[in-house]
Amino acid sequence: MNLLSNDAQQTWSQRFESALHPAIAHFNASIGFDIELIEYDLTGSQAHAKMLAKTGILSTEEGEAIVSGLEQIRQEYHDGQFQPGIDAEDIHFAVERRLTDIIGATGKKLHTGRSRNDQVGTDTRLYLRDQIRQIQQQLVKFQSVLFQKAEQHVETLIPGYTHLQRAQPLSLAHHLLAYVEMSNRDWERLDDVYQRVNISPLGSGALAGTTFPIDRHYAAELLGFDQIYENSLDGVSDRDFAIEFLCAASLIMVHLSRLSEEVILWASEEFGFVTLKDSCSTGSSIMPQKKNPDVPELVRGKTGRVFGHLNAMLVLMKGLPLAYNKDLQEDKEALFDGVKTVQACLEAMTILMNEGLEFRPARLNQAVAEDFSNATDVADYLASKGVPFREAYNLVGKVVKTSLAAGKLLKDLTLEEWQSLHPAFESDIYEAIAPQQVVSARNSYGGTGFQQVKRALDEVRSRLQTLSQ
Ligand code: ARG
């Protein structure tokens, strides 16, 4: 049987009689995916080495040799020369081994006063910090694109729905700005999660701390961590930060998926509110007339993956006794794929909203002129003339019923018909129920009235300016 040679392959081999079964070596190894952490592993180890030198645990020369050896590995990796195989088990062993190849026995001192348990926690946090900042930038870009569209469509109307039934007409800008608000909360949520990602577990050791006089604060400072874990057991076993991230990521996906669903509806023949550009849609292999909204469909589809990762992480953690358990190695694929999926979906949706679709203002404005979504405004009209709202509401219900039966819209009723329904109706009823007026009149704070939408645009503009700085 092709067993891995014992002393050549495993760092811990001296304790063992025989080598790992190759299938088990494969099963156990994380190098296939934790290679993603290499930059962070190198940076984390450089900080650890500097700390060991500063505290006198290693000599200055030893510290320097380690730091530059690690830098050489970084270069080798960038040049495509460092490609560790599964015999290395994971990125941490791979780097330590290569370091020892490069600088000799001093490389074996790097792991003084630390364990892979605090090391992997450190690497994962450094990785996630970077990814969070990148996603936040993407969220700002996404909001900017929606904002620009909104600016162009303040006076374009769109049917507003509840229960997917026509409810009240809206400014299209107001509709788009709703997504800007959602996306802004996503940004803020990530900023909040960042605080709990940016805590250093380094120096927690395997679980209990270390006998060496390490300086955890110094290493944390070198790595830009805001705080250090107070308790070594918690430091090595906490994955709350990853769960929190996946939770924030799931909400981003919820928002992208809801927008996707709307775009898919809007692009249908039945709605016809947008046309998809060729750059962002695909054809069918059999139906020559088709133009499919693949981008929003894929985003909607990928949303489930991110929820799955969140769920996987929650289940992964729920039964784990303190402290490190190998189960924790499973956090990485969930996290990495969650990060990549959110990044890819944000990029695609930003392109789609920016240049992949075009709203059809004529069709949109026409849509709101041909329904009963101004019925509330008739009730409001009467209420403003002193009729109690509930009474007005009941009366308008009757008006809608008779109009429907007569095949008419409210705007088609004659003044006599209006007045036969209630003497308070006067000729200004026609203006009061015209779609532009209906929208413009909803001028309560945060409403769809054009004044409000312009105020909201001003606020979003300055918020985005601050965020892009
Ligand atoms: N590859 C491991 C992981 O990703 C590193 C930590 C290993 N620690 C251990 N005690 N076996 O979790």
Side-chain angles (χ1 to χ4, degrees):
M1 194 174 290
N2 179 23
L3 293 178
L4 295 169
S5 116
N6 204 10
D7 42 35
Q9 303 300 342
Q10 263 101 31
T11 302
W12 29 259
S13 58
Q14 298 311 310
R15 160 76 176 76
F16 288 68
E17 294 292 335
S18 69
L20 211 49
H21 187 290
I24 298 301
H26 248 285
F27 184 69
N28 196 46
S30 53
I31 189 70
F33 46 87
D34 65 17
I35 188 77
E36 184 87 35
L37 295 176
I38 182 164
E39 296 277 356
Y40 305 102
D41 195 71
L42 294 167
T43 305
S45 288
Q46 284 175 325
H48 181 65
K50 284 180 191 166
M51 183 280 291
L52 291 176
K54 181 193 174 249
T55 49
I57 299 167
L58 294 189
S59 71
T60 311
E61 298 71 45
E62 286 171 329
E64 281 168 2
I66 291 174
V67 170
S68 62
L70 292 166
E71 205 47 39
Q72 182 178 328
I73 299 176
R74 196 188 301 275
Q75 197 52 51
E76 289 175 357
Y77 177 70
H78 287 171
D79 296 344
Q81 287 160 6
F82 181 60
Q83 293 171 338
I86 72 125
D87 57 309
E89 186 178 324
D90 62 22
I91 186 61
H92 323 294
F93 276 150
V95 166
E96 191 182 319
R97 250 185 231 181
R98 179 70 196 131
L99 180 69
T100 306
D101 287 348
I102 297 172
I103 67 167
T106 305
K108 297 183 182 173
K109 295 192 172 182
L110 168 62
H111 214 50
T112 314
R114 127 184 130 167
S115 147
R116 276 185 303 159
N117 299 348
D118 55 343
Q119 185 181 358
V120 73
T122 304
D123 295 2
T124 311
R125 285 164 179 84
L126 292 174
Y127 159 85
L128 195 54
R129 262 181 7 185
D130 271 9
Q131 306 309 320
I132 286 178
R133 289 302 187 224
Q134 192 185 318
I135 296 170
Q136 283 183 298
Q137 278 176 16
Q138 288 188 289
L139 286 167
V140 172
K141 194 151 178 230
F142 177 60
Q143 287 176 45
S144 304
V145 162
L146 293 176
F147 168 78
Q148 280 159 24
K149 285 269 162 188
E151 264 189 324
Q152 293 159 19
H153 290 291
V154 175
E155 297 193 6
T156 304
L157 306 187
I158 184 169
Y161 298 82
T162 62
H163 313 268
L164 202 59
Q165 304 286 324
R166 293 278 178 100
Q168 290 168 350
L170 301 168
S171 153
L172 174 54
H174 193 58
H175 197 120
L176 294 170
L177 287 178
Y179 283 99
V180 173
E181 293 302 310
M182 291 143 109
S183 175
N184 186 56
R185 284 198 297 279
D186 290 332
W187 188 97
E188 289 178 345
R189 216 175 336 265
L190 283 179
D191 224 39
D192 186 51
V193 171
Y194 188 95
Q195 295 178 51
R196 271 156 328 266
V197 173
N198 205 22
I199 305 175
S200 173
L202 194 58
S204 296
L207 74 166
T210 171
T211 55
F212 291 95
I214 59 169
D215 183 344
R216 291 188 57 204
H217 287 281
Y218 178 69
E221 197 184 303
L222 289 178
L223 293 170
F225 283 113
D226 293 330
Q227 291 176 56
I228 64 174
Y229 275 85
E230 290 297 319
N231 179 298
S232 61
L233 275 176
D234 183 37
V236 289
S237 50
D238 175 35
R239 293 294 182 275
D240 293 358
F241 70 97
I243 294 178
E244 275 194 63
F245 168 78
L246 285 170
C247 199
S250 294
L251 278 169
I252 295 174
M253 294 305 296
V254 168
H255 299 152
L256 293 182
S257 186
R258 292 184 77 174
L259 179 59
S260 294
E261 172 64 15
E262 296 213 285
V263 170
I264 293 163
L265 288 173
W266 292 343
S268 69
E269 188 103 23
E270 287 70 12
F271 280 74
F273 295 169
V274 297
T275 14
L276 294 175
K277 300 274 197 66
D278 292 357
S279 61
C280 285
S281 44
T282 58
S284 150
S285 62
I286 172 172
M287 298 165 282
Q289 85 284 10
K290 297 270 311 268
K291 225 177 175 189
N292 294 328
D294 290 28
V295 171
E297 287 175 315
L298 269 176
V299 170
R300 191 177 57 183
K302 286 176 190 288
T303 299
R305 258 178 54 191
V306 180
F307 296 177
H309 296 319
L310 170 62
N311 198 40
M313 276 299 298
L314 287 167
V315 177
L316 178 70
M317 297 306 294
K318 75 176 264 297
L320 288 190
L322 298 182
Y324 180 87
N325 300 269
K326 187 77 170 194
D327 314 45
L328 288 177
Q329 180 165 289
E330 287 288 308
D331 65 354
K332 279 163 219 61
E333 285 160 295
L335 198 57
F336 297 164
D337 189 71
V339 163
K340 284 187 187 134
T341 305
V342 168
Q343 288 171 342
C345 289
L346 265 172
E347 187 187 10
M349 282 304 278
T350 303
I351 294 171
L352 177 72
M353 296 311 289
N354 191 34
E355 56 188 273
L357 57 77
E358 209 163 330
F359 284 99
R360 301 172 64 194
R363 163 96 191 179
L364 283 158
N365 290 328
Q366 182 67 13
V368 294
E370 286 172 357
D371 61 19
F372 284 88
S373 61
N374 50 3
T376 320
D377 301 85
V378 179
D380 286 354
Y381 175 95
L382 287 177
S384 72
K385 301 214 169 193
V387 180
F389 179 80
R390 186 55 62 212
E391 208 177 290
Y393 165 93
N394 286 331
L395 183 98
V396 180
K398 264 188 246 156
V399 179
V400 170
K401 193 156 79 178
T402 40
S403 306
L404 274 172
K408 285 183 167 187
L409 290 166
L410 294 176
K411 65 175 181 188
D412 301 325
L413 298 178
T414 63
L415 191 55
E416 292 70 56
E417 285 174 310
W418 281 115
Q419 286 175 339
S420 71
L421 291 158
H422 200 286
F425 285 116
E426 290 172 69
S427 61
D428 59 352
I429 181 63
Y430 295 103
E431 218 226 302
I433 61 169
Q436 288 282 334
Q437 173 58 24
V438 162
V439 173
S440 154
R442 291 216 155 64
N443 210 18
S444 55
Y445 192 94
T448 192
F450 300 133
Q451 292 295 322
Q452 284 301 315
V453 170
K454 284 179 189 147
R455 182 198 50 75
L457 281 169
D458 286 343
E459 271 167 35
V460 170
R461 184 182 302 107
S462 63
R463 193 166 74 198
L464 285 173
Q465 265 158 13
T466 318
L467 290 181
S468 331
Q469 273 156 21

